[in-house]
């Protein structure tokens, strides 16, 4: 019986080793699969975060560029007043272009606002308010200039006191907004 007993004990030891090996393999595979799922989640979160930041950067850029385009077109209108060139129809065409730029800015503003939390909205509001104030000052200056009418068939150069008062605040607000955008996107 000693020989048979040794075979039984050997078989039992072999079977228990196989069971322990199978349990160890199963546990290892389970841990490895869990780790792979965690890595995949981290990669997805990182990709989503990077995509969100890229979209926010693009939205900030679009707003800044549209504000700058509106500001440049407002300067063209101002130049028309201070050194009249062409006729009133030319002024109206440039004025209409400013209004188009304002509409583009509003579209860019709302795209950006959809991506920002409530505490991030103030910088956008401050910037757009500065644009609206500058724009309104310019339009008031243009209206006043147009009311005076041409003298001897020509328009006299006009002043733009309302626009001039608001344009430095707009420039300052643009710089402040750029600083806020940089802080939010790169730190």
């Amino acid at each position: 019986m000693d020989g048979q007993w040794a075979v039984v004990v050997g078989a039992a030891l072999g079977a228990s080793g196989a069971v322990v090996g199978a349990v160890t393999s199963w546990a290892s595979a389970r841990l490895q699969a869990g780790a792979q799922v965690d890595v995949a989640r981290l990669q997805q979160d990182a990709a989503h975060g990077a995509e969100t930041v890229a979209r926010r950067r693009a939205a900030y850029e679009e707003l800044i560029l549209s504000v700058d385009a509106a500001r440049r077109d407002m300067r063209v209108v101002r130049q028309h007043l201070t050194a009249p060139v062409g006729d009133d129809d030319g002024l109206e065409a440039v004025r209409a272009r400013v209004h188009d730029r304002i509409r583009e800015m509003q579209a860019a503003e709302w795209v950006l606002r959809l991506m920002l939390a409530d505490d991030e909205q103030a910088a956008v509001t401050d910037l757009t308010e500065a644009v609206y104030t500058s724009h309104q000052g310019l339009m008031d200056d243009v209206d006043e200039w147009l009311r005076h009418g041409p003298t001897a068939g020509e328009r006299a150069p006009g002043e733009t006191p309302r626009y001039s008062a608001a344009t430095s605040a707009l420039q300052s607000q643009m710089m402040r907004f750029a600083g806020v955008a940089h802080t939010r996107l790169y730190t």
Side-chain angles (χ1 to χ4, degrees):
M1 230 149 65
D2 285 336
Q4 289 178 344
W5 182 250
V7 170
V8 170
V9 168
L13 287 174
S16 66
V19 168
V20 168
V23 168
T24 303
S25 294
W26 175 78
S28 175
R30 186 167 167 82
L31 286 173
Q32 187 177 17
Q36 287 175 345
V37 167
D38 290 343
V39 166
R41 284 185 184 140
L42 286 173
Q43 288 174 335
Q44 180 195 19
D45 290 347
H48 178 68
E51 182 180 337
T52 300
V53 168
R55 285 183 183 184
R56 287 179 78 176
R57 282 181 184 154
Y60 272 108
E61 177 185 359
E62 185 66 30
L63 180 59
I64 285 286
L65 291 176
S66 65
V67 166
D68 190 53
R71 186 183 59 85
R72 279 185 279 120
D73 283 345
M74 284 190 274
R75 281 195 347 228
V76 171
V77 170
R78 180 183 180 270
Q79 288 170 351
H80 192 93
L81 264 65
T82 57
V85 183
D87 57 4
D88 290 352
D89 291 337
L91 173 63
E92 288 304 320
V94 177
R95 198 171 164 180
R97 199 166 68 214
V98 170
H99 293 302
D100 289 342
R101 297 288 187 246
I102 296 291
R103 281 190 287 281
E104 290 170 8
M105 182 203 71
Q106 289 169 334
E109 170 193 359
W110 286 107
V111 168
L112 179 59
R113 282 189 186 278
L114 290 172
M115 295 181 191
L116 299 179
D118 289 342
D119 63 330
E120 298 174 313
Q121 300 279 338
V124 176
T125 301
D126 293 343
L127 178 63
T128 55
E129 287 297 321
V131 171
Y132 296 143
T133 300
S134 184
H135 176 254
Q136 186 60 50
L138 180 62
M139 293 304 114
D140 291 346
D141 291 339
V142 167
D143 290 341
E144 185 175 321
W145 185 72
L146 288 172
R147 273 194 300 273
H148 290 294
T151 305
E154 290 188 15
R155 287 208 178 262
E159 297 291 321
T160 57
R162 294 173 197 90
Y163 174 73
S164 296
T167 192
S168 61
L170 172 58
Q171 191 69 24
S172 164
Q173 196 59 48
M174 286 177 70
M175 296 305 291
R176 196 170 310 127
F177 182 78
V180 167
H182 179 76
T183 299
R184 295 212 185 272
L185 293 172
Y186 296 102
T187 57

